[in-house]
Amino acid sequence: MSALEPRVPQRTAPLPPPPGGGVMGSAYRTLSIGIISVVFLIAFEATAVGTAMPVAARELDGIGLYAFAFSAYFTTSLFGMVLSGQWADRQGPLKPLTVGIAAFASGLVVSGTAGAMWVFVLGRAVQGLGGGLVIVALYVVVSRAYEERLRPAIMAAFAASWVVPSIVGPLASGTVTEHLGWRWVFLGIPALVVVPLVVALPAIRRTASGPVGEPAAFDRRRIRLALMISVGAGLLQYAAQDLRWLSLLPGIIGTALLVPAVLGLLPRGTYLARRGLPSVVLLRGVAAGSFIAAESFVPLMLVTQRGLSPTMAGFSLALGGVTWAGGSWVQSQGRTAPYRQRLMVIGMVLVALAIAAAPAVLIESVPVWTLALAWAVGCLGMGLVIGSTSVLLLKLSAPQEVGANSAALQISDALANVVLLAAGGAAFAALGGGAVGAAHAVTAGGAGGASHPAAFAVVFLPMACVALVGAWVATRLEPAKG
């Protein structure tokens, strides 16, 4: 710029609070309480709504669309993640966070008042869009408002926010569903939105609003890729749920949309495990995908193969919420920071061991409580890994790229979930898993009839192998020297 040309002042984000103190110190307390409240809201919804979903689908005569109530949330959240990353990088995280919370609550209201299953699914789609906007915006808030030394601690607080909902959510939801009806589960949660709106938004406006540098236009190519990945993921899920030759067509179309979209939205070299940021993003997907795909079959295995009630099967995983928070706390400590990569390798080994040990309960002589202990060990490993990937992503991202890179991390997480769930579900059905639901009444203490242990084993053992691959990826997180 010539010295004679007038200088256009650049808008910059407000400065973060002065250094000193922890995440609950006077400089950060209001902001921390606000954004932790947002995470708590999302966690409570995730644990509570899942309990009420089967009853809702039955009363709306929509069992055939049951799976789409989950996939609709997922597919729109993928688009919301990319949109939020673009929005937050260019205008700050305040607007996408506000719109996301409002959409999240609106979707719950639409589903809670639905008179038909397709309206219920539509509400879940709106809710997913809001969830995608919120989660990426929160990462940008953490990047802008907190010193680097405090980021592991706030990520640990996010993990701890899931402990109470994971224990209380299913019980509270089941009680409300039984005595008041499933609609009150959906209509009651939006009331929790008031706390994040009142507490978090003013604090974010003071510490993290506005763009970093000169605002840029939206990248229309990334928005198109976001649409492609959402539609592709939806088609792939549909194909995996219907094992007929005709389902190959939507599966092929979904894959054709997903591949270029993924390559365009994730850091270059992600699926080659290139050192640094690409491997951080890849590890997040490998860890989350293998663990969630396996965990999704744990309650079904306990109910149908060992005769537990759905409530007891759910509580068998409750200890995992505590150990997950414990693992996240360990990675947040300053004295463990120099050993972060080693801790992540150990974490992925623990995840692989837990997944591999889970099908041991298919043997009648093995006590059921051994699975609860094994899963607690796996959750400890996940706490070490998930919190650390978030910390490393923020550390390796330039300020103006935090939104896009945070979106890539969440896309890797969500996309791995759907791909590995689709693969595991297809293998489960191919080995007779589809007959499990017909052969076993899912009632308290109902042991059921025919057993299909191979159908469960074919899910858990491959996922354990995927987790072991994650242990190798965890050795490649440091950027290449030079």
Side-chain angles (χ1 to χ4, degrees), residues 220-281:
R220 295 181 179 179
R221 174 178 171 273
R222 291 185 69 85
I223 299 299
R224 287 196 300 270
L225 292 175
L227 286 171
M228 289 171 59
I229 201 172
S230 295
V231 175
L235 289 173
L236 193 63
Q237 289 183 63
Y238 173 80
Q241 293 163 13
D242 186 12
L243 295 181
R244 295 183 301 171
W245 287 108
L246 289 177
S247 67
L248 284 176
L249 181 59
I252 293 172
I253 295 174
T255 303
L257 291 172
L258 273 178
V259 172
V262 169
L263 294 177
L265 291 172
L266 300 188
R268 184 174 298 177
T270 295
Y271 288 109
L272 297 176
R274 189 170 294 168
R275 287 190 174 274
L277 183 63
S279 284
V280 172
V281 173

Side-chain angles (χ1 to χ4, degrees), residues 126-454:
V126 174
Q127 191 184 343
L129 177 64
L133 288 170
V134 167
I135 191 65
V136 172
L138 285 177
Y139 272 67
V140 179
V141 170
V142 170
S143 172
R144 294 190 182 188
Y146 291 86
E147 304 169 60
E148 185 173 333
R149 68 180 180 88
L150 294 177
R151 292 172 189 168
I154 194 63
M155 291 300 175
F158 285 175
S161 299
W162 281 79
V163 174
V164 173
S166 67
I167 298 173
V168 176
L171 180 61
S173 177
T175 302
V176 171
T177 300
E178 182 178 348
H179 292 93
L180 299 178
W182 65 268
R183 294 184 185 275
W184 287 105
V185 175
F186 288 84
L187 296 176
I189 293 175
L192 301 177
V193 170
V194 175
V195 174
L197 286 176
V198 172
V199 178
L201 299 186
I204 293 171
R205 184 178 291 109
R206 291 193 303 270
T207 60
S209 63
V212 175
E214 189 68 22
F218 274 83
D219 187 340
R220 295 181 179 179
R221 174 178 171 273
R222 291 185 69 85
I223 299 299
R224 287 196 300 270
L225 292 175
L227 286 171
M228 289 171 59
I229 201 172
S230 295
V231 175
L235 289 173
L236 193 63
Q237 289 183 63
Y238 173 80
Q241 293 163 13
D242 186 12
L243 295 181
R244 295 183 301 171
W245 287 108
L246 289 177
S247 67
L248 284 176
L249 181 59
I252 293 172
I253 295 174
T255 303
L257 291 172
L258 273 178
V259 172
V262 169
L263 294 177
L265 291 172
L266 300 188
R268 184 174 298 177
T270 295
Y271 288 109
L272 297 176
R274 189 170 294 168
R275 287 190 174 274
L277 183 63
S279 284
V280 172
V281 173
L282 176 60
L283 179 61
R284 179 59 165 261
V286 170
S290 60
F291 188 79
I292 299 301
E295 186 178 60
S296 299
F297 287 88
V298 168
L300 182 65
M301 180 172 65
L302 292 177
V303 170
T304 61
Q305 306 300 299
R306 297 302 299 265
L308 269 66
S309 68
T311 301
M312 291 303 299
F315 274 123
S316 69
L317 304 178
L319 180 61
V322 178
T323 57
W324 189 311
S328 191
W329 178 84
V330 169
Q331 66 81 32
S332 73
Q333 302 305 294
R335 59 181 176 273
T336 62
Y339 311 102
R340 184 175 300 281
Q341 181 169 297
R342 189 179 303 173
L343 285 174
M344 296 173 79
V345 174
I346 293 172
M348 288 309 304
V349 171
L350 293 179
V351 171
L353 290 175
I355 297 174
V361 298
L362 294 169
I363 303 172
E364 288 291 334
S365 60
V366 176
V368 172
W369 56 262
T370 59
L371 186 143
L373 290 181
W375 217 249
V377 170
C379 286
L380 173 66
M382 288 294 287
L384 293 171
V385 173
I386 297 299
S388 292
T389 56
S390 302
V391 171
L392 288 176
L393 176 115
L394 297 178
K395 180 180 179 180
L396 298 174
S397 299
Q400 68 275 15
E401 296 176 346
V402 170
N405 289 343
S406 298
L409 189 76
Q410 297 300 325
I411 288 170
S412 178
D413 185 319
L415 190 61
N417 283 343
V418 71
V419 171
L420 292 179
L421 270 171
F428 180 74
L431 288 185
V436 167
H440 295 265
V442 185
T443 56
S451 180
H452 298 267

